[in-house]
Each structure stands twice: as structure tokens, then as C-alpha cells.
Amino acid sequence: GGMMGEGEHDQTAFCIVRPPVETDIPFIYKMWGEALTRESPLSKGVHRSMVRAYWVRVIDSLLNNDATIINIGCDYEDPNIIFGIAIYEPKTLHYMFVRQSLRGAGLARKLAPFVFDKDPAQPRVTVTLNTFCMGQIMKTHPKIVYNPFGLFKELKVSES
């Protein structure tokens, strides 16, 4: 449920969600590219320069895909101050970033609510990058499954 009970305080009121603007794009490439380079098993043992070049292509294809949604969490007074980023398609979360000092306040839920929906009637959610934080979330959200191949749009496999 999105409604808060009586007396509950929205810890994320300082943050609004907006679509990306042109000046956000380099920051998105930097943050997402670093996360993929550091945390994706596909990067393991591959020379850094080669890894970066390939991840840029993957990010290009996802950012230029009409199905991709980018939510930027920013300061409600200054939209240039970014607190978090969520990049997803329906049922697939590609990238989630929340400033370390703000983790646990509910920002991730605000940026990509479908990920945290525990309703068994809702379809399962795929995450394509299994970061430490996502691993923690997955422990309490059994509907979230990890599949790095979801990054590659050409690979359409019917899952049983």
C-alpha cells in the first residue's frame, strides 16, 4: 500500500522524483558504468578498458530503449542535487543508486515502487545487477530474481 497510516512520517519528503535532464546523463553513465565494472560477474578478469567500452554500449542500448524508465531522486529545493537513480523497464530493474548516507529511508522504494511490491499476484521482478544492497533487499523479497542476461535486449528467452 502506498498510503501512510495515521501519524506516520514520510522520511523521503525532502526528495522528489523527476525524469532525467541532459546534464544528468554523464552522471548516469559514470555511476552505472562503475557499478557494472565493479560488481557484475561479466566484468571479472576482463581488462578494464575493454570492460568500460562494452558497458558503455550496453548502457547506450538501454538508455535509448523506449521501454526504459529513468527516475532521478533529487532535492525538492535544488533539482541538481541528486540523491538516487533508478533505471528500469516493466518488471526489470537495471540500476539503482541511493546515496550511502540516505540508505534505509525508503528512497529506493520511492524511485522504483514495483520492485518492493510483495503482493503475490504481481509478477516477479528481475534485477540485472546484484549489488550488495540488492542482495540485502532480496533476502526479504523472494519475488526478486537476479538475471544479468536481462541487460541484453537481443537475448529473449522464454522462462518456464
Side-chain angles (χ1 to χ4, degrees):
M3 298 301 291
M4 284 191 285
E6 200 60 42
E8 269 188 69
H9 174 65
D10 178 7
Q11 287 187 291
T12 65
F14 63 89
C15 175
I16 57 166
V17 177
R18 63 165 173 78
V21 292
E22 202 55 46
T23 53
D24 297 329
I25 303 302
F27 183 65
I28 290 170
Y29 272 90
K30 178 183 185 293
M31 298 300 290
W32 193 3
E34 281 177 7
L36 286 163
T37 300
R38 201 175 48 247
E39 309 206 45
S40 174
L42 295 168
S43 300
K44 197 171 171 65
V46 184
H47 193 276
R48 261 186 105 74
S49 62
M50 203 187 301
V51 162
R52 284 217 182 91
Y54 276 96
W55 284 136
V56 166
R57 298 280 303 276
V58 171
I59 293 170
D60 281 344
S61 80
L62 289 164
L63 292 184
N64 293 310
N65 176 357
D66 290 339
T68 302
I69 295 161
I70 305 167
N71 282 340
I72 306 290
C74 65
D75 188 289
Y76 75 98
E77 289 176 337
D78 183 352
N80 293 314
I81 299 175
I82 296 176
F83 299 132
I85 302 169
I87 300 171
Y88 58 89
E89 295 172 81
K91 302 192 294 291
T92 303
L93 176 69
H94 290 302
Y95 179 60
M96 172 75 76
F97 156 74
V98 172
R99 259 199 216 177
Q100 206 155 359
S101 59
L102 299 171
R103 288 179 192 160
L107 237 53
R109 188 181 310 270
K110 191 168 192 167
L111 290 166
F114 76 99
V115 175
F116 303 93
D117 189 341
K118 288 186 175 179
D119 178 357
Q122 294 298 316
R124 70 179 182 190
V125 172
T126 300
V127 294
T128 57
L129 182 60
N130 191 9
T131 59
F132 175 76
C133 290
M134 189 48 69
Q136 298 301 105
I137 292 167
M138 286 168 73
K139 287 177 185 170
T140 56
H141 293 72
K143 270 190 5 191
I144 301 175
V145 294
Y146 168 59
N147 179 3
F149 299 105
L151 286 165
F152 308 103
K153 294 295 117 220
E154 312 73 57
L155 304 178
K156 280 291 173 227
V157 178
S158 64
E159 296 179 28
S160 53

